[in-house]
């Protein structure tokens, strides 16, 4: 019996050392809690605004989700890479992140407003379009940056707590506006959400300084190109989850956009468990790739694929179930969300396969190639999804969405196996 317990203990220690199960569980708990809170906030917002107003609102949220990754020019990812290798330089990377964020935020907000009001022809007044996009970009960048600062310090549980806090504060605002005050006007909700975003951002900045120290006001000009590569990659990946709603808003009415937007929102909840795993593994790719090049980075990627795929399949099932239950929460107007959500959920295992291959390229110094592939994929996604939406509305868009993710996973793994290490200072080339 003692021998059995000893072997079981050794096996448990092996699993923890290999897959960091305890850390994963500790990070997943606040993340899952955040998912639940976000779902309630989303339900309050959709039910309170109604189908058509929610359709208008969710199209603007899609523009915000795409735009937020352009703010900071990859400064947060530079911080993760830099602190993983040189922890003592945190203050410089933190200062660089804040400077780049301050310089790019106004330009990105203006660009988002132009897309939403000029290209998508949002029916809202331009001021309210600006408040939605500006507020969502601000809180999105602040929350993501604080989470990555914590990831850089290997404090993934804390990062999960930040995600929970971000969701909870938005839920509190929605509960006060829609439930306590009984209001349902879109413009009033936009004002409340913007104010909440500004206050939360200020608190997150103060918390970052208190926990990790004051930033050093320095612009790391030598890292601008690398940061831009990170930025393009993240923006391209974000576009793969946002372009569908932007495209649909050009070919369908507000009610259809509301249905698809609600389904996409439920799908987004399934991404968080995948992000928990990537937060734990992401700094390690720089370590493996820095020591052993693409071969070591690729081996590490292959070792985390089973976990990523398992989490992706579990998330697929959970999202399908959430979509089945959604009409009971959102109201009868959202009944057609069930089939759309179930179909979209099959993209989660495909995304789970993309992350290890993409991070293997980044960890081995292939960030430029990854950025090129991601930007190319973003354009491809847009063209294919526009064709699908124009051809067969929501159904065509869903088929195009799944096809694009399957193709992108294949392209990333092909690239990870086709490249070879380079002499120092030269670009890696295909084998």
């Amino acid at each position: 019996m003692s021998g059995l317990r000893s072997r079981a203990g050794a096996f448990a220690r092996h699993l923890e050392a290999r897959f960091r199960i305890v850390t994963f569980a500790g990070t997943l708990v606040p993340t899952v809690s955040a998912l639940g809170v976000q779902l309630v906030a989303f339900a309050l917002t959709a039910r309170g605004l109604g189908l058509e107003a929610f359709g208008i609102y969710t199209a603007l949220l899609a523009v915000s989700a795409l735009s937020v990754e352009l703010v900071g020019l990859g400064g947060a990812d530079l911080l993760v890479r830099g602190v993983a290798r040189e922890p003592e330089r945190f203050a410089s990377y933190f200062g660089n992140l804040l400077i780049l964020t301050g310089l790019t935020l106004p330009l990105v907000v203006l660009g988002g407003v132009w897309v939403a009001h000029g290209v998508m022809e949002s029916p809202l007044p331009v001021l309210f379009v600006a408040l939605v996009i500006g507020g969502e970009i601000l809180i999105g960048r602040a929350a993501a940056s604080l989470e990555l600062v914590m990831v850089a310090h290997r404090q993934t549980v804390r990062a999960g707590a930040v995600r929970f806090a971000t969701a909870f504060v938005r839920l509190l605002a929605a509960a006060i506006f829609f439930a306590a005050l009984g209001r349902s006007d879109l413009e009033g909700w936009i004002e409340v959400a913007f104010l909440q975003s500004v206050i939360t951002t200020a608190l997150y900045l103060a918390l970052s300084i208190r926990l990790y120290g004051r930033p050093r006001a320095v612009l790391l000009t030598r890292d601008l190109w690398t940061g831009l590569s990170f930025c393009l990659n993240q923006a391209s990946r974000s576009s793969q989850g946002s372009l569908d709603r932007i495209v649909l808003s050009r070919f369908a009415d507000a009610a259809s956009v509301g249905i698809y937007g609600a389904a996409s929102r439920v799908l987004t909840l399934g991404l968080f468990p995948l992000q928990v795993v990537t937060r734990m593994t992401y700094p390690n790719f720089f370590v493996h790739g820095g020591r052993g090049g693409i071969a070591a980075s690729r081996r590490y990627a292959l070792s985390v694929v089973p976990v990523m795929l398992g989490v992706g399949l579990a998330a697929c099932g959970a999202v399908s179930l959430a979509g089945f239950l959604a009409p009971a929460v959102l109201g009868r107007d959202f009944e057609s969300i069930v089939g759309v959500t179930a179909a979209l959920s099959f993209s989660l295992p495909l995304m789970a396969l993309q992350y290890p291959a993409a991070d293997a390229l980044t960890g081995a110094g292939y960030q430029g190639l990854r950025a090129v592939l991601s930007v190319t994929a973003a354009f491809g996604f847009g063209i294919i999804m526009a064709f699908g939406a124009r051809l067969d509305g929501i159904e065509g868009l869903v088929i195009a969405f799944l096809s694009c993710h399957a193709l992108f996973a294949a392209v990333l793994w092909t690239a990870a196996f086709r490249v070879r290490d380079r002499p120092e200072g030269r670009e890696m080339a295909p084998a």
Side-chain angles (χ1 to χ4, degrees):
M1 182 64 70
S2 62
L4 181 61
R5 284 198 299 267
S6 177
R7 287 194 294 273
F11 180 67
R13 289 191 294 272
H14 168 73
L15 287 178
E16 169 62 14
R18 183 68 181 274
F19 299 118
R20 306 290 297 279
I21 292 176
V22 173
T23 304
F24 174 76
T27 308
L28 189 60
V29 168
T31 303
V32 169
S33 301
L35 296 184
V37 170
Q38 280 198 330
L39 187 58
V40 176
F42 152 69
L44 280 174
T45 305
R47 197 179 187 99
L49 292 177
L51 184 56
E52 291 195 7
F54 182 74
I56 295 171
Y57 183 57
T58 197
L60 296 179
L61 293 182
V63 176
S64 304
L66 175 59
S67 302
V68 69
E69 299 298 344
L70 299 174
V71 175
L73 297 182
D77 289 281
L78 283 175
L79 187 148
V80 174
R81 187 191 70 167
V83 173
R85 296 175 176 176
E86 302 175 280
E88 66 280 359
R89 294 192 61 195
F90 167 74
S92 295
Y93 284 106
F94 188 23
N96 180 67
L97 168 61
L98 294 180
I99 291 173
L100 290 175
T101 299
L103 291 175
T104 55
L105 178 62
L107 298 176
V108 173
V109 171
L110 287 175
V113 171
W114 176 77
V115 170
H117 199 266
V119 178
M120 296 169 57
E121 299 179 351
S122 174
L124 284 176
V126 66
L127 173 61
F128 287 94
V129 171
L131 289 179
V132 173
I133 293 176
E136 295 304 310
I137 289 176
L138 188 64
I139 186 57
R141 185 68 273 161
S145 296
L146 178 54
E147 290 177 34
L148 285 175
V149 166
M150 292 174 172
V151 168
H153 288 86
R154 309 300 176 97
Q155 295 172 340
T156 54
V157 176
R158 272 187 175 179
V162 170
R163 175 154 292 179
F164 175 81
T166 304
F168 181 78
V169 173
R170 178 53 60 90
L171 170 60
L172 185 61
I176 292 172
F177 184 81
F178 294 111
L181 299 179
R183 295 181 61 179
S184 60
D185 55 301
L186 178 55
E187 293 184 356
W189 167 242
I190 289 172
E191 292 171 344
V192 169
F194 177 78
L195 180 61
Q196 175 258 308
S197 297
V198 172
I199 294 173
T200 307
T201 297
L203 292 175
Y204 280 171
L205 178 58
L207 181 61
S208 299
I209 294 173
R210 180 175 179 82
L211 290 177
Y212 304 106
R214 293 181 176 277
R216 183 184 170 205
V218 57
L219 184 62
L220 303 176
T221 54
R222 293 181 60 183
D223 290 329
L224 284 177
W225 175 248
T226 303
L228 182 60
S229 298
F230 281 117
C231 173
L232 291 175
N233 170 69
Q234 297 292 358
S236 299
R237 177 169 288 279
S238 176
S239 72
Q240 295 160 18
S242 304
L243 273 176
D244 49 357
R245 283 165 286 170
I246 296 174
V247 166
L248 189 63
S249 69
R250 291 290 296 169
F251 298 105
D253 55 72
S256 297
V257 177
I259 290 293
Y260 189 88
S264 296
R265 188 69 172 178
V266 176
L267 177 69
T268 302
L269 302 180
L271 290 175
F272 291 156
L274 296 177
Q275 292 169 355
V276 171
V277 181
T278 58
R279 284 177 179 175
M280 294 165 53
T281 59
Y282 188 47
N284 296 333
F285 278 99
F286 293 113
V287 176
H288 286 275
R291 292 175 180 172
I294 185 62
S297 187
R298 187 170 55 227
R299 281 195 300 271
Y300 182 67
L302 290 171
S303 75
V304 302
V305 162
V307 176
M308 288 293 296
L309 186 57
V311 173
L313 290 171
C316 174
V319 165
S320 296
L321 178 60
F324 179 76
L325 299 174
V329 179
L330 302 179
R332 296 182 61 183
D333 289 344
F334 288 86
E335 284 182 356
S336 55
I337 189 180
V338 176
V340 179
T341 305
L344 288 176
S345 70
F346 286 102
S347 66
L348 292 169
L350 299 175
M351 294 180 196
L353 292 175
Q354 294 169 13
Y355 284 111
D359 289 343
L361 294 173
T362 295
Y366 269 112
Q367 182 55 35
L369 174 60
R370 178 180 176 178
V372 170
L373 293 177
S374 296
V375 171
T376 303
F379 282 107
F381 267 56
I383 294 171
I384 294 173
M385 286 191 292
F387 179 77
R390 184 167 191 142
L391 187 65
D392 198 16
I394 292 180
E395 291 78 7
L397 182 60
V398 170
I399 294 172
F401 185 78
L402 294 175
S403 301
C404 287
H405 277 292
L407 181 60
F408 190 46
V411 168
L412 286 171
W413 277 106
T414 300
F417 275 94
R418 286 286 295 168
V419 295
R420 63 173 182 266
D421 287 324
R422 61 183 176 183
E424 190 66 30
R426 294 181 58 193
E427 276 292 327
M428 299 181 181

